[in-house]
Amino acid sequence: MIAIVDYGVGNLFSLSSSLQALGFTPEITRDPARLRAAERIILPGVGAFGDAKAKLDATGLGPVLREEREKKPLLGICLGMQLLFDKGFEYGEYAGLGFIPGEVGSLKPDLNTSTLKVPHMGWNSLHIVKDDPLFRYFRDGEYVYYVHSYYAKNCADSTLAVSDYGGVAVPGAVRRENVWGTQFHPEKSGDAGLRLLKAFCEL
């Protein structure tokens, strides 16, 4: 069973449908017992960092995720990936889960050009900088789908793959121990994204 954490942030249906299409059994839940029973955990998310962290804190699931990430693979997607870091600076400063060293800052001031729009929205090629089982079925340079205005910074040791946007090497995939994250949406990234999800579910 693959547990998808339900904390009131994000469209969970497309992710659940993608996992079902791959032959896995997803369960959308905020029940600590179900998270503990799961073989894998996925933390999705869309929206603002501070609001999402507040909603996650309200569920009381933070300590459960901290405990379970020692025992099984955990994947954060988009804002869910950003919450894995130490802190985020979206409309203020907020503490993250602290599973991966680094912080989340605004993309716009770091761009080398004013012609590109923020949010970074659409398809971009993903370049692998560190080999990992997550890329078992994924080829270097394949295109994935992004929607974000903030990005992970100061996390080179954990960065697995990057996408260039306006001269910024945006960490597209990260890992520390049993915790993985993708800034892009694998469930919206066509066949390449599905292959990456499949690899995660087989870890």
Side-chain angles (χ1 to χ4, degrees):
M1 188 264 284
I2 313 294
I4 301 173
V5 184
D6 177 13
Y7 60 110
V9 178
N11 178 11
L12 309 182
F13 178 76
S14 60
L15 177 57
S16 178
S17 298
S18 295
L19 291 170
Q20 288 177 342
L22 288 167
F24 298 102
T25 305
E27 182 176 323
I28 298 171
T29 183
R30 61 176 61 192
D31 181 350
R34 298 307 295 157
L35 293 179
R36 292 187 174 101
E39 295 175 278
R40 311 282 185 274
I41 297 174
I42 298 180
L43 180 69
V46 296
F49 190 104
D51 177 61
K53 182 56 164 49
K55 289 182 177 178
L56 184 60
D57 288 345
T59 67
L61 293 178
V64 180
L65 295 176
R66 186 176 303 278
E67 171 190 323
E68 293 304 305
R69 55 128 184 185
E70 301 287 347
K71 307 172 185 176
K72 65 192 63 166
L74 184 153
L75 172 68
I77 294 176
C78 197
L79 180 58
M81 168 184 142
Q82 294 180 0
L83 292 176
L84 301 174
F85 288 91
D86 294 321
K87 62 179 69 174
F89 293 92
E90 187 171 2
Y91 308 119
E93 180 178 338
Y94 302 93
L97 289 166
F99 296 170
I100 300 178
E103 58 197 42
V104 177
S106 178
L107 179 59
K108 189 171 185 177
D110 293 343
L111 296 179
N112 289 342
T113 174
S114 60
T115 60
L116 290 176
K117 294 182 179 180
V118 174
H120 170 205
M121 182 166 64
W123 297 88
N124 202 335
S125 56
L126 185 69
H127 298 284
I128 298 169
V129 296
K130 195 177 298 182
D131 193 29
D132 190 86
L134 190 67
F135 305 126
R136 181 179 302 138
Y137 308 119
F138 190 93
R139 297 183 298 275
D140 183 56
E142 290 196 85
Y143 279 73
V144 293
Y145 191 81
Y146 287 91
V147 184
H148 67 112
S149 300
Y150 289 74
Y151 76 110
K153 306 173 69 171
N154 301 320
C155 57
D157 288 348
S158 303
T159 299
L160 298 178
V162 299
S163 292
D164 179 82
Y165 192 69
V168 176
V170 174
V174 296
R175 177 189 180 183
R176 189 182 192 203
E177 298 173 345
N178 283 338
V179 178
W180 283 260
T182 61
Q183 180 61 70
F184 58 90
H185 285 271
E187 78 281 8
K188 297 180 181 179
S189 296
D191 184 64
L194 291 180
R195 283 186 269 111
L196 190 139
L197 275 179
K198 175 179 170 66
F200 171 75
C201 292
E202 292 178 352
L203 290 171

